[in-house]
Each structure stands twice: as structure tokens, then as C-alpha cells.
Amino acid sequence: MGKNPIERTSKEKIDSAHSRWLAAYAITTAVITIVAISLFYLFPFDMQMLHMGILCLGLAIIAESAFFIWQALRASKATFSALHPSLSQLDEGATIIYELHKQNGNFRPAYVSTNISHILGYTVQEALSPNWWFDNVHPEDRALTLSAISKVEANKTFVHRYRFRSKHGSYIWLRDELRTFNDDDTKIAGQWTDMSQDLTWMRDSKAVTQRELMGFAELNEHDCIVRADNNFRNLVGLTDSLPNAHHILDFISPLNSDNESPLLATGIEYLVEFNRPSQQSLQGLLKISEDKQGSVRFVTLIDLSAFILERRRLKQIAYLQPLTGLPNIEQLKLDLQNALETAADNELVAVLNINIREFHKVNESYGVDDGDRVLQRVAQRFKQALPENAFLYCAWGDDFWVLLSGIKEYMALQDLMDNLMNSLNKPILIEQHKQIKASANIGACTYPLDGLTAAELLSYASSALQRARRQTSACQVIFNQEMASDSQSQLLVKQQLHDAIEASQFEIYYQPMCDSSLQAQGYEALLRWNHEEEGVIAAANFLPLCDTVTKQKLGTWAIQRIIDDLPSIPVNAEGKRNIAVNVFAEQLDDAFVSDMVQFSHQLSETNTHFCFELKEASLIDPSDELRQTLSRLTEAGFSLIIDDFGAGFAGLTYLREFPISAIKVEHDFIKKLDNERGYAIVDGIVELSHRAGIKVHALGVESEQQLKQARALKFDLYQGRYIHPAKPLNELVDNINN
């Protein structure tokens, strides 16, 4: 178990105090020693006086040491005493403190305060065990709580409430507040507060009376009302000044009583219904008590309407998306499961996943408030486009879902998708003179043709949407089994990636970049995964599946490995090493620039120049931070190359706005040089780039004919399997030597 946060703070403060006293001790000792030595040199002393002087110097240093040790201990004691109340409050208070640390992509409990034992009844060891938290969350609240980690990662903080089972088996309401550390996104600090502490007035008759939610009455032996306080009268609508003519059951109706006797049992809590004077039907909790002699019976009635309203509010939080007011993904899961269970044999059930195309640009161009208005307008249009047997849901942001049940013909699905797409044909009016044109991508699947369970259908509809989003314009995609295979293989790769990093299964391959005479002028460093079963996997087949953290880890590892390889990498005819390194936009931050500046001396010692390659898509709508980072890298002496230039997003803006030294023409252009129009386009790219002082590389040369055509276009460098395939460093060196 790790130390709690205040213990860590205490240790840091004590260490700081020790450091200050140690510095003072060192300075004082040095001064005493210098003064003593100066006296010995400046004044003549006989041997006896010299011995006495040395003895006095030693005694002075010993006395000084004792004094400073005493002061350091006093400072430590004072620091700990000042922090002791906080320690006591943390480990004995009503709020449980805990920490989660990210391990292998998942957050695991690393610390929990010891007061968990007297609040929830569990030991610290039990609380740190796997699945302890999830197993004890109330089953009805698990769906709401599962998204907490992703929300706190996105928003830095998140607060939610749910029921949690104590060690004694009863459920209590917890308020759970999570937030990430300011300097470390891999750690989450949280605190649980028992909300039952806020409801202690339930056990305090005076406080409850003040809140007018609890009433008291005295009953006779026949359970007729003898007297009642004002709260009881107001709750049940009793206006008679002589209440003993009324039986308690005239005002309330027990909901959990099987006893046909007109008398209510003592000590049993009854859930009851009663009417206020407004004729509003409410629920309450009633209990009969007796005095010690058993001669007087008392009734206590608690109005539960406030708690019922809170329960409804919590249900709305759990099953409604607040911005659009639509049911959320959790409600979709319940409704989908019910639709599957009630579907007739000759009926289909369809699930559609809808995404507003490039919606992030709306937020960036018009602001979040206008973006929210767009989502609300889109939700209204989608609802109007739905038939009676279809229901609309919103998971978050621009992620919409539709459940279509009772389908008799498959064409009904296509008609619905067409209607949804057509609903966005007209521009969306946000304010006067402000209109936004929106379009959508739709992915769909059906039961029982594509999947048999709710989980499968949700996953398949999402896979179909991802396929649609990869298209260059708004698109509809209906799921097929090929997507299922892709989705399963991608999931498997994601799971294996984390293990591969720990097992050091990655390697750097090098591919020569040659001039027109096929002499190597430099090398591109390429990441490869040595998979245990699949063999060597190219980066393009697994990098798109990596999350940001994994990409950063791989990028950092790759650059360090390349620098370690520098002494063995062959030089060109000029004795230089030109290395092209692929980087991710996620890597390019202040820390990356600082690291590369530190590596500069190693690069200069080996006469090496680094060129950083960025995918063209990374420069679409770049942030100000990315622009600044690229400028700082070029100022530090590094070069920038656009990789796969022309892969769907080619634009002259990049050549003008960024400090680019070269572009690599996408290999599909090289493959189509035998096409007259394709040849003319590439010829124009090369000529325009050369006029701007930008070098052009032919990427993906795979045949003699392609090399011949590329030479005719006067590319600066050539690269491809026909010239030289990418090889591990040792094989590359052997090939060159041979």
C-alpha cells in the first residue's frame, strides 16, 4: 500500500527542513574552520598552545554539531505536529481518500485511506484487490459509473453519485469525486463521501420536524388517533380538532402489509401511501412504537417524496443526455435488449449509429455554445425524420443512435437512412445571418442478419460508422461480416500492443534514400513489430490502432534506438548521415523539442542530420502549439518532410505556411505514372516544388519502369522496394559491404 498524500507532503517538508539546517551547519563549520586556520597562520603559537587550540576547535565543532542536530529534530517535530491534524483528518475523517495509477493502459487502485474500515467496513487490502469496487457498486448504478474514468481523463475532474455495498451488506449512497494530477495524467486522486452523513436528520426528530418531513401522533389501543403534531396533520390532511374519531388507516394505506387485522404491528416499518390536502398522492414510511410499559402507542410518519424525486433525478442523470434531452446509450441498451426479446420471427430490428461529419470544425469556428445549438437542431430534425417505430438516442456530443424495430421489409432501413440524410439538406440557422451546413455519416446493422445480441449489434453499427467516416464525403454503410473480422483483429492487436512494448518486440528497419545514380544519400528509419505469430508487421498496420500514450512511448523509444544505432549506420559519399524519422503529431510538444536539443551533440559528433517526417493529414487544421513546435525544430537545425504528399489532402498551403524542406510524393502517384494525366500531375508537383526550393522524393518505386519514369521527372531522391527494401541495421550493413 502506498503512502497517503499528506504523509508524502510531511516527508517532503521534513526533508526540506533537514536540507536547510544541513546547509546552515556546513556554512557555520566552514566559517569556524577558516577563522581557526587564519589565526594559526597569523599569530605564532608554541606547541602547547597549538594543541590547546586544536582541542578548542574540535570542542566547538562538536558543540555546533549537537546544536544543529537538536534544531533539525525540533524542526522535524514541529513540521510533523503541524501536519498531524491533517493526517488524523485524512485517516479518521468521514471522507475516504484514494488514488488510481495507470498500468498497462488501465487504472488500478494504488492507495486508499485507512478510515475505509470504519466507514465501509472493508480492510485496505480488500479495497485494493482487483474488481472490489465494481463488484460492490449497486447493479442498477454500474452502467452510470463505468464511464467515470474516460470522463475524468477528458475533463480533468468528474463527480458522480451511486449506491455502494458496505461490508455489512447494506447499500449506502456515496459521492465520488475524481480528478487527475496537475503534472501526471497517469494518476487519478479521488474521494468518497458517505452521503448518508448528510441525511442524519432522518434519525433526529427535532431536525426532521423543522423540515416538515416527519410527523408524530399518539394512538389508543384501537389505533385511533388521540393527538397529533402539526406536521402529522399537514402530511395526512387532518383538520378535525378531535382526531380520536379517526383510525390511522383512514389516512394511510400500507403497501407491504399482509395482516388483515385493523391494528398495525409494533416495530415494523410500513411503506404507505397517503394524500396531502392538495390530493397529491405521496409515499411515506410509517413505524409504530410503544413506551416501556406498552400502554401508549406512537406513530412516526416520514414523507419520502423528496427521496423519490431525488431517485427520479438520478435516473434522469443515468439515462438521459442533458444537452439534447434524448435518452442516452444506457437507455438504448435496455430498449434494444427488450426489442430483441419481443421481436417476432418475421421481423427485423435495426441499430443505426450516426455521426455529424467534421463537427469539431463547428466548435472551432463558431464556439462551443453555437456547437451545442447545432446539436440541438440536428436532434430535432432527426426526431422529425423518424417513423413511429424508431427512437432516437444521443450517447454524447455528436454521437447519435437510432433503434428501429418491427421492420417487415429490409428496404425500411434504407428509407430511414435516406430520410435522416435528407433532414440535413437545408442549412441550420443558429442566429440571424448565421447558417451552418451539416452532413452525417451513418453505420447500420440488423438483427438477426448481422448479430444476435445487443452487444454485437452496437459494436457492428459502430464498425460500419467507422467505415463510413473514412470516406471523403457523407456516406451510409450497412454492416457486413468482413467488418466484423476487421474489428475483432483490431481489438486483438490493441490488446497485444501493450504486452509487445513490455516485451521489447519492436525494431527499427532502415531503407536507403538514393539519388538518380542509386547511391544512398540517407536512410529512412521505419518501425517494425516482431510479432510472435504474425511475424514482422509494418507500422502502417498497427499504429492507427494505438492510443496517444502508446504512440508517445513508441516514438520516444524509436528515436532513442536510432541514436544508439548512429555509429553503425553507413555514411554517404560526403561522410554524412541523413536520417529521416517518422513522428506523430502527438509527440511534438515542448518536451520533445527539449529532448532533441539535448541529442544535438550526439548528432553533431556522428555528423548526422535528422529529418522529421509528418503525415500530410497531421497538418490539416493544425493547432498553434504544433506550428510553434515545428518552427522551434527547424530553428534548432532539424528538417521537416511531408510524407505521403497527395494522399487525399494535398494542398499548396502546407508548402507556403510550414518550414518544409522536402515532400515525398505518395506511392499511388508513382504507380500511375504510365497514365498521361497522372504523369502530368506529378510533373507539375515536382516543377512547382523545385521553384519553391523544396526537394521532392519519389516514394514507393517498385519496378524498373517506375524508376525510369521517375528519373525522367527529375526527382531529387528515390525510395522503394525495387531499389532497396527496408532491412534491420545489421542486414543493411552486410548488403552494403557486399
Side-chain angles (χ1 to χ4, degrees), residues 592-656:
F592 179 83
V593 176
S594 299
D595 290 342
M596 294 312 304
V597 171
Q598 290 180 1
F599 287 139
S600 295
H601 71 281
Q602 293 176 257
L603 300 178
S604 60
E605 288 176 357
T606 55
N607 203 12
T608 301
H609 178 70
F610 264 21
C611 303
F612 292 115
E613 293 191 15
L614 264 177
K615 294 293 184 184
E616 187 181 8
S618 303
L619 301 179
I620 298 175
D621 198 15
S623 64
D624 292 338
E625 291 79 5
L626 178 58
R627 292 175 181 271
Q628 293 172 4
T629 301
L630 295 178
S631 296
R632 290 177 60 193
L633 285 173
T634 53
E635 290 169 1
F638 300 97
S639 299
L640 176 64
I641 297 176
I642 294 184
D643 193 15
D644 288 342
F645 184 83
F649 301 98
L652 302 181
T653 304
Y654 311 139
L655 306 183
R656 183 189 68 213

Side-chain angles (χ1 to χ4, degrees), residues 513 578-580 609-616 619 634 638-646 651 654-656 658-666 685-686 688-690 692-699 715-719:
M513 299 183 295
N578 294 315
I579 307 298
H609 178 70
F610 264 21
C611 303
F612 292 115
E613 293 191 15
L614 264 177
K615 294 293 184 184
E616 187 181 8
L619 301 179
T634 53
F638 300 97
S639 299
L640 176 64
I641 297 176
I642 294 184
D643 193 15
D644 288 342
F645 184 83
Y654 311 139
L655 306 183
R656 183 189 68 213
F658 294 96
I660 296 166
S661 63
I663 62 173
K664 287 190 173 184
V665 176
E666 206 266 335
I685 292 174
V686 174
L688 181 63
S689 299
H690 283 166
I694 297 173
K695 293 184 177 181
V696 190
H697 298 190
L699 182 63
F715 279 90
D716 297 283
L717 292 176
Y718 307 82
Q719 181 180 344

